[in-house]
Amino acid sequence: MGSYTVIHEKARCFYDHYERKAELQHQTHYCPGCGHGIVHKLLAQAIDDLGIQDRTVLISPVGCSVFAYYYFDVGNIQVAHGRAPAAATAVKRSRPDSIVVAYQGDGDLAAIGTAEIVHAANRGESITVIFVNNGIYGMTGGQMAPTTPLGKKTTTSPFGRTAGNEGSPIHVCELLHALDAPVFIERVALGNNKQIMNAAKVLRRAVENQVKGLGFSFVEVLSPCPTIWKMNPIEAQTFVREEMGKIFCPGNLRDRTKDLAPRPDPPQPPPIEELPRILGLGDGANGFVSSPRVRDLDARIKVAGFGGQGVLMLGEVLAEAGLQSGYEVSWLPSYGPEMRSGTSNCHVRISQRAIDSPLVSRPTVLLALNEPSLRKFLPTVEPNGFVLYNGRALPADCVRADLRIVAMPFIEMADAMGSSKVGNILMLGALLEATSLLDQEPVAAALRQLVKSDRWFELDLAAMERGRQEVRKAGETLAPGDDYLWGV
């Protein structure tokens, strides 16, 4: 062997050993004749040639493309079906020195991921997208893909794809070519050795464009899928060359890289200590103040009522005020069929510890602005919890001896003040007075942030004070030491 010169060997950016599941040690991930192995090889050669192994992050979503992380010794991220361009955007923006490659199939990119690829391309994200188009869903059982040729039978088009019933194949390169931002778009094929050699050059070019900082590059690869198309490998290559190639013509659609200057580096992020001031969360900024944490708190609050009663707004104020008080917070809205006159509710958590989930399935506090919400959520309130109900009296069949329940006609009181729209803030004032959940100052600051009108802000402050007065008058203030309410 000493007389031979090695001119080609396995790419350095491949793992030394390709791991498989214990029960599949003698099987390959890809079927005989599959194009993914070829594309892997060409991409790996490009990474090696450009010397970017330690900078490369490969995004592989659901489908046959997911196996890429078994082969490439680079940064690997597996993402949900179709979401590779969105994840690639996040990686590139957060780590601008990285070389980010989204590696996707046609069912993944052109079906469930259509929105992600269109918007990433339209923004001109500085990433490289490799689109492996074999005209069918491979891993999941041979369903029709957006790129399946007309007349072809699949498990979801058993009589053959027709333009009238299933629509014509989507030409993704041409679709993206209609956008202004992409700098490089080309379609290649793996139909014979000559096409494969050309594909190697194009893939390298697409990655190199990113190394040079030139912008969004997209390469579509027409690839054989012998198993799902029920062909042998030679027939599958012929199919790619002679049938797929006629529908999706190989060639360059756009190359704006020759005279393009590198994109400017993104601005440096501000120091983390500046973020509160920039976001209006610092002491005194935009009326906000910071208050010390008053207790070891883990309040789980459900706010519910009809759309238009200010359900979501009430939850937002609580979350913003909790944030200003130094707590961890979450706010999660949940709509009914309509915002106006339909049911709506929101989940609010205010905690001294990290919040594991924004969902509130077992609230410690229920704020029910109508009777249907009271009946729906009352059984879910934790024992020893607190309930505020918008009504003159509690329905007789809604009494729970293990809860503290206060019923007051908040909307009627709001009408008397001049607007039923402040009924939710009346309820907020009652909650604060009855429980001492949060101090007045951060709550008022949160209102100032969310309510832009001076007139409505003053009316909200008056409504909050009225709610406090009604609770004091009724003697419903929480007794000291009743911290069981907060789930700690």
Side-chain angles (χ1 to χ4, degrees), residues 214-273:
L214 300 182
F216 182 89
S217 294
F218 183 88
V219 179
E220 178 177 348
V221 183
L222 303 182
S223 173
C225 183
T227 299
I228 301 300
W229 282 123
K230 298 179 174 58
M231 302 175 182
N232 64 45
I234 301 300
E235 292 170 339
Q237 270 201 314
T238 302
F239 172 72
V240 165
R241 188 174 63 252
E242 297 183 0
E243 293 193 49
M244 293 282 286
K246 291 179 180 177
I247 302 167
F248 306 100
C249 297
N252 183 270
L253 283 79
R254 177 178 300 180
D255 185 357
R256 295 176 177 170
T257 64
K258 292 182 175 63
D259 302 314
L260 196 66
R263 301 176 71 176
D265 292 333
Q268 290 295 314
I272 193 168
E273 58 269 14

Side-chain angles (χ1 to χ4, degrees), residues 410-426:
F410 296 108
I411 302 300
E412 288 183 24
M413 290 189 283
D415 278 331
M417 293 185 65
S419 175
S420 61
K421 291 183 178 180
V422 296
N424 59 337
I425 306 302
L426 268 156

Side-chain angles (χ1 to χ4, degrees), residues 87-322:
T89 296
V91 174
K92 187 66 178 182
R93 291 193 178 193
S94 61
R95 299 183 64 88
D97 291 336
S98 61
I99 304 301
V100 184
V101 179
Y103 185 95
Q104 301 180 258
D106 49 289
D108 179 79
L109 181 143
I112 196 170
T114 312
E116 278 71 14
I117 189 59
V118 168
H119 289 291
N122 191 51
R123 294 190 303 267
E125 299 293 345
S126 188
I127 61 176
T128 303
V129 179
I130 298 174
F131 171 43
V132 182
N133 176 10
N134 54 29
I136 198 165
Y137 278 80
M139 177 180 282
T140 56
Q143 299 93 334
M144 188 192 79
T147 54
T148 299
L150 291 173
K152 289 298 179 181
K153 295 181 179 181
T154 71
T155 57
T156 51
S157 58
F159 303 107
R161 179 174 190 166
T162 64
N165 196 52
E166 291 87 11
S168 297
I170 292 178
H171 293 69
V172 178
C173 283
E174 287 77 1
L175 179 67
L176 300 185
H177 184 49
L179 305 174
D180 293 333
V183 299
F184 186 84
I185 301 173
E186 186 157 343
R187 182 183 289 121
V188 297
L190 307 179
N192 55 31
N193 289 343
K194 182 178 180 180
Q195 289 186 334
I196 292 171
M197 292 174 66
N198 179 64
K201 297 176 183 177
V202 173
L203 285 170
R204 187 188 190 282
R205 177 78 180 283
V207 178
E208 187 177 22
N209 290 340
Q210 188 179 166
V211 174
K212 294 178 178 179
L214 300 182
F216 182 89
S217 294
F218 183 88
V219 179
E220 178 177 348
V221 183
L222 303 182
S223 173
C225 183
T227 299
I228 301 300
W229 282 123
K230 298 179 174 58
M231 302 175 182
N232 64 45
I234 301 300
E235 292 170 339
Q237 270 201 314
T238 302
F239 172 72
V240 165
R241 188 174 63 252
E242 297 183 0
E243 293 193 49
M244 293 282 286
K246 291 179 180 177
I247 302 167
F248 306 100
C249 297
N252 183 270
L253 283 79
R254 177 178 300 180
D255 185 357
R256 295 176 177 170
T257 64
K258 292 182 175 63
D259 302 314
L260 196 66
R263 301 176 71 176
D265 292 333
Q268 290 295 314
I272 193 168
E273 58 269 14
E274 285 291 300
L275 291 180
R277 180 189 62 78
I278 295 170
L279 297 175
L281 302 177
D283 289 345
N286 294 330
F288 271 81
V289 293
S290 295
S291 300
R293 301 178 181 182
V294 296
R295 58 162 66 88
D296 187 9
L297 187 64
D298 186 15
R300 303 186 300 278
I301 305 169
K302 179 71 70 71
V303 188
F306 288 131
Q309 288 186 308
V311 169
L312 306 185
M313 170 69 171
L314 177 50
E316 281 187 277
V317 174
L318 284 168
E320 290 285 352

